[in-house]
Amino acid sequence: MQSTFKTPTLQNSKPYYLLFVFLILATQACKEKRGKISSQADLPEKETFSVIIAGTKVGHLNVDRAGDTVAIDYDYKDNGRGPTVAETIVLDAAGFPRQWDIAGNTTFGNNIDEHFKLDGQKARWKDASGEGTTTAENPSFYINQSGSPYSLFMAARVLLNSKDQTVAALPAGQLKLTELERLESTSSDGSLKLKTYALSGVGLNPSYFILDENDRFFAVISPRFIIIREGHEKEEKSLRMLSEKYSAARFEDLQKRFAHKYDKNIRIRNVKIFDPKKLALTDLSSVVISGDKILTIEAADAVADENEVEINGAGGTLVAGLYDMHGHMGENSALLNVAAGVTSVRDMGNNNEVLDSLIQKIKLGVLAGPNITRMGFIEGKSPFNSNNGILVESEEEALAAVQTYADKDFHGIKLYNSMDGKWASAIVKKAHELKMPVTGHVPAFSNANDMLMAGFDEMTHINQIMLGWVLEPGEDTRTLLRLTALQRLTDLDLNSAPVQKTLDLMEKNNVAMDPTLAIHELLLLSRNGETQLGTLDYIENMPASEQRDAKEAMASIANETEDKAYRVAYDKIIATLKMMKDRGILILPGTDLGGAFTLHRELELYQQLGYTPAELLKLGSYDMAQYLGQEDRGAIEPGMLADFFLVPNDPTKDLKAIKKIAMVSKGGVIYFPSEIYPEFGIKPFVEKPEVKRN
């Protein structure tokens, strides 16, 4: 169906957009002069905000307003990537959007061409997922797919004047505004009285933002990302910690309600146990937990102690908790990982303060979350640098960072794109002296062979290796080139000498591979309007907003030639990983996508490399525990941590069975996903098992 929306796009040049905005603003200003009262009359004509990530200003959000028309220029760049967004919104007298046009590109370069229009009660929209129409019988606020966070403020203006601070949303759902607390901010202009809010109904978790005493937009806050009114940037760190407090309060409440901490031993009766050493299921058994450990494994019909809590496994299968070997853990994803049976995560780079706080809360039982193994993130300073971990400007500073991480008991070191590759040998030497393994990206202007010769113990992301076979000297992988250049793999001969030399080095040096295959599937195979392959098995259980976003491509696919090139590139990646597996190179299942459901997909994709379902259950649990030297987990045996999950069916026959989890034990604390998922708008996959107190 051809779109009926006709509005200009960026055309890769801001003057076209600015001319369009000027004409609309001028038209609306003329209407103002004819006596129309604007819903935005109490707001300034111009507003300017700074985008800050981990303490560093990385972009801006600028607002121009004329009458009921709002024009937004939003742009930031972190780690060599970020969105560029131009929005024009026309509001009605109550502040509801009547027309909304969005152009630009997403963080990974996908083109934005989104439009919304309301004619009377007839609502029409077009976004990356396709086009839709509906009749809006009641006032409804459109939830954009690719716009800026300023939409939170526009929604708040409507919600503040709505009954119960609730309003219907388009294309689906309902928005709810909750005031959290009041505080003050000071600047050279004096002090401001502020109010913090949570807006729920857009995603799996609420968004947190701040209005001033006049109900004007002041900031969007999260533990890592802040948009704040210009002139108040010094408040950034305190607001990040404030958002962490709000998020923690939500998840602390969920922990209190859904973490079952029984004061008795727990017997999980009538279950088969996956044995990773035999790659098979046991006969029906009973598993008894005492505290955070597995006490005994007994016969299915063993008589229960009168002081036990019994959980009926109904003939299902127990599997040891899974590992996500490439995480960037936050409170918002911690509980969902546990509910998905991911009880251990290797964090590959984070805001160290935020991560320390999260780990402490998980250890104390205040929050639900996986066991976290920390990798010390070291990045070089550049216009393209990431803002995680420790940023360095010299080899000496990099070596000092290694020592800092060793002193804080981090497991290993991860190096990143803007690091000078010439420092790698000294860093590896220092880390190895401190008994710390080293992994990471291939620094810009280096290649995988350089890092292998420097002594890397592991390589991160399969594209980081393969780019070394197709890039020209001097090409800069700190930009999106490290993704878009994968198109060049179409002409790569995997039997060529450069490819084989790299694989020889990996095999000889016993170097492991963290491929993050699921993110490459998303990058190379997702297309606008088509449900992403990795979500097909669970997307119908997700909220409407998640279903919509699952039809958005990650990258821009300009034409049929690029479409074919990306598909061939994915096939080349699979073939390369299969060659690695056949050489005995250890593959580490990690997602870089938040884990949980995507960790299930990561394992599932490895079947394309020749793994059986049973081998993947072992790889994702026992093998990763052994790789990290964590002897207390990875199998369901007496004395091991009680980290495991229950599924109704046999995952050794069909790996998809791990997506339907009835119960999780994380250190003897029991979680039932059927209780947890509705709090995120997710429809449960299976029912809660029967629980009996003796």
Side-chain angles (χ1 to χ4, degrees):
M1 181 177 70
Q2 185 171 351
S3 172
T4 57
F5 297 103
K6 294 182 180 179
T7 56
T9 61
L10 281 179
Q11 308 268 333
N12 297 319
S13 176
K14 281 193 175 181
Y16 294 98
Y17 162 70
L18 294 175
L19 176 61
F20 169 62
V21 171
F22 173 78
L23 291 173
I24 285 185
L25 295 179
T27 301
Q28 293 301 318
C30 289
K31 290 181 180 179
E32 285 292 305
K33 291 179 181 179
R34 292 197 295 267
K36 180 184 175 184
I37 299 175
S38 168
S39 66
Q40 308 286 289
D42 61 326
L43 297 173
E45 291 184 359
K46 294 182 179 293
E47 296 179 275
T48 305
F49 302 88
S50 297
V51 181
I52 304 175
I53 293 180
T56 301
K57 182 176 177 179
V58 295
H60 64 266
L61 190 156
N62 298 331
V63 181
D64 288 279
R65 183 178 285 105
D68 282 319
T69 300
V70 183
I72 297 169
D73 170 22
Y74 177 54
D75 189 294
Y76 75 84
K77 296 293 176 285
D78 176 56
N79 192 13
R81 61 198 183 209
T84 297
V85 178
E87 299 177 83
T88 303
I89 309 102
V90 181
L91 305 170
D92 68 15
F96 286 89
R98 291 190 289 112
Q99 183 170 332
W100 202 325
D101 299 297
I102 310 173
N105 59 264
T106 65
T107 295
F108 288 94
N110 191 14
N111 182 58
I112 299 172
D113 183 25
E114 181 173 359
H115 310 281
F116 168 81
K117 191 170 182 62
L118 181 66
D119 290 320
Q121 292 185 332
K122 188 71 171 180
R124 298 178 291 129
W125 61 88
K126 172 193 172 187
D127 57 28
S129 67
E131 298 188 13
T133 62
T134 193
T135 299
E137 296 181 356
N138 298 309
S140 302
F141 196 93
Y142 176 69
I143 304 301
N144 69 71
Q145 184 181 56
S146 301
S148 72
Y150 195 77
S151 60
L152 293 170
F153 168 64
M154 292 185 288
R157 295 266 294 182
V158 168
L159 286 158
L160 285 169
N161 294 313
S162 301
K163 183 180 178 181
D164 299 325
Q165 282 70 61
T166 301
V167 71
L170 291 172
Q174 180 175 271
L175 297 179
K176 172 70 176 176
L177 186 69
T178 304
E179 182 176 336
L180 300 174
E181 69 174 311
R182 303 194 175 200
L183 43 92
E184 285 194 21
S185 173
T186 59
S187 72
S188 57
D189 298 328
S191 63
L192 275 178
K193 293 182 179 179
L194 305 173
K195 295 174 286 186
T196 61
Y197 292 91
L199 180 69
S200 55
V202 178
L204 296 177
N205 293 291
S207 298
Y208 302 105
F209 62 96
I210 303 176
L211 305 183
D212 67 17
E213 58 190 325
N214 297 313
D215 291 333
R216 296 179 181 177
F217 182 45
F218 181 75
V220 172
I221 60 176
S222 76
R224 184 169 182 268
F225 176 93
I226 297 286
I227 301 176
I228 191 168
R229 185 181 295 174
E230 190 176 59
H232 294 265
E233 289 85 353
K234 67 181 180 61
E235 302 281 359
E236 177 266 342
K237 182 175 181 180
S238 63
L239 293 185
R240 280 195 288 118
M241 300 307 290
L242 190 65
S243 69
E244 183 188 352
K245 181 183 79 170
Y246 296 149
S247 179
R250 164 173 158 79
F251 286 98
E252 286 171 19
D253 175 65
L254 295 177
Q255 174 78 338
K256 288 176 183 176
R257 288 193 284 146
F258 301 128
H260 298 276
K261 303 176 183 179
Y262 300 112
D263 55 0
K264 303 177 179 180
N265 286 353
I266 304 166
R267 178 179 296 270
I268 298 137
R269 184 185 292 284
N270 198 26
V271 289
K272 296 179 180 179
I273 301 168
F274 174 68
D275 183 343
K277 298 169 185 175
K278 296 181 179 179
L279 296 178
L281 302 186
T282 67
D283 294 332
L284 287 173
S285 306
S286 290
V287 176
V288 180
I289 301 171
S290 179
D292 64 350
K293 298 283 191 357
I294 298 169
L295 181 63
T296 61
I297 296 176
E298 302 176 0
D301 58 357
V303 177
D305 187 285
E306 61 181 16
N307 231 4
E308 291 179 346
V309 172
E310 289 189 74
I311 298 174
N312 185 0
T317 304
L318 288 186
V319 179
L322 300 172
Y323 280 73
D324 182 357
M325 294 293 284
H326 196 122
H328 299 279
M329 187 53 53
E331 289 168 347
N332 286 357
S333 57
L335 177 56
L336 287 176
N337 269 280
V338 171
V342 183
T343 57
S344 294
V345 169
R346 184 176 63 162
D347 190 287
M348 297 292 281
N350 217 313
N351 179 301
N352 291 331
E353 288 183 53
V354 172
L355 184 62
D356 286 346
S357 174
L358 176 61
I359 290 173
Q360 185 65 15
K361 289 176 181 177
I362 291 172
K363 286 182 177 179
L364 292 173
V366 175
L367 292 177
N371 307 297
I372 297 176
T373 299
R374 300 177 297 174
M375 298 295 286
F377 188 96
I378 303 176
E379 167 71 311
K381 289 186 179 180
S382 83
F384 305 98
N385 65 252
S386 173
N387 288 288
N388 276 328
I390 299 176
L391 298 181
V392 300
E393 295 185 278
S394 67
E395 181 177 303
E396 290 72 24
E397 289 184 3
L399 295 176
V402 173
Q403 186 64 58
T404 296
Y405 283 126
D407 293 342
K408 293 184 177 181
D409 202 28
F410 278 64
H411 176 78
I413 298 297
K414 178 186 177 184
L415 305 184
Y416 209 61
N417 296 321
S418 291
M419 266 274 312
D420 190 329
K422 298 184 183 66
W423 307 341
S425 293
I427 291 171
V428 170
K429 182 175 183 293
K430 173 77 169 178
H432 285 176
E433 288 172 355
L434 296 168
K435 310 300 183 185
M436 302 174 80
V438 179
T439 183
H441 287 207
V442 173
F445 314 114
S446 302
N447 59 47
N449 290 1
D450 294 336
M451 298 304 104
L452 292 168
M453 295 298 290
F456 267 36
D457 301 280
E458 177 188 317
M459 299 300 296
T460 300
H461 301 304
I462 186 62
N463 65 309
Q464 293 285 316
I465 289 182
M466 299 182 75
L467 287 173
W469 304 330
V470 296
L471 289 180
E472 297 296 328
E475 289 191 292
D476 193 345
T477 54
R478 294 174 298 178
T479 68
L480 284 179
L481 180 68
R482 66 181 183 267
L483 304 177
T484 58
L486 291 175
Q487 296 177 66
R488 304 180 194 177
L489 296 180
T490 53
D491 299 322
L492 177 66
D493 178 4
L494 295 180
N495 293 313
S496 63
V499 174
Q500 295 303 311
K501 180 179 179 180
T502 301
L503 298 185
D504 287 344
L505 282 170
M506 292 186 71
E507 182 180 2
K508 177 184 176 182
N509 296 342
N510 195 30
V511 175
M513 181 72 238
D514 166 23
T516 60
L517 183 54
I519 203 170
H520 288 85
E521 178 192 47
L522 181 60
L523 169 72
L524 299 171
L525 300 186
S526 63
R527 300 292 182 268
N528 288 337
E530 301 176 12
T531 301
Q532 295 161 4
L533 296 174
T535 71
L536 289 175
D537 293 325
Y538 66 83
I539 196 61
E540 290 185 1
N541 292 64
M542 303 299 283
S545 60
E546 296 290 311
Q547 295 187 32
R548 177 193 190 193
D549 289 347
K551 293 184 178 181
E552 181 180 17
M554 188 173 183
S556 174
I557 311 295
N559 49 51
E560 290 185 8
T561 300
E562 285 194 0
D563 177 85
K564 180 179 179 181
Y566 276 128
R567 294 183 189 279
V568 172
Y570 181 78
D571 293 339
K572 289 288 179 77
I573 285 173
I574 293 297
T576 301
L577 288 172
K578 189 175 187 306
M579 291 166 63
M580 289 181 178
K581 175 183 179 295
D582 291 346
R583 283 171 170 258
I585 294 169
L586 179 63
I587 307 295
L588 311 176
T591 67
D592 202 17
L593 287 170
F597 300 129
T598 55
L599 191 275
H600 299 164
R601 180 60 175 175
E602 183 79 17
L603 289 169
E604 185 179 330
L605 288 173
Y606 291 178
Q607 292 176 112
Q608 298 175 29
L609 313 183
Y611 289 98
T612 67
E615 288 172 336
L616 289 171
L617 294 175
K618 175 176 181 284
L619 180 71
S621 56
Y622 182 80
D623 288 348
M624 294 305 99
Q626 295 294 304
Y627 180 74
L628 293 177
Q630 296 170 349
E631 301 288 342
D632 61 347
R633 65 198 82 161
I636 301 173
E637 300 173 354
M640 291 284 203
L641 273 178
D643 284 6
F644 53 76
F645 60 93
L646 170 69
V647 294
N649 299 311
D650 182 354
T652 65
K653 293 180 179 177
D654 183 358
L655 194 63
K656 291 180 185 292
I658 65 173
K659 299 181 180 185
K660 297 182 177 180
I661 296 178
M663 180 213 75
V664 179
S665 171
K666 165 60 170 52
V669 179
I670 304 298
Y671 298 89
F672 302 111
S674 61
E675 295 179 338
I676 295 168
Y677 284 148
E679 297 292 326
F680 296 87
I682 301 172
K683 179 182 176 182
F685 299 91
V686 291
E687 294 182 357
K688 172 182 174 179
E690 177 188 357
V691 180
K692 177 184 175 183
R693 286 179 174 270
N694 293 326

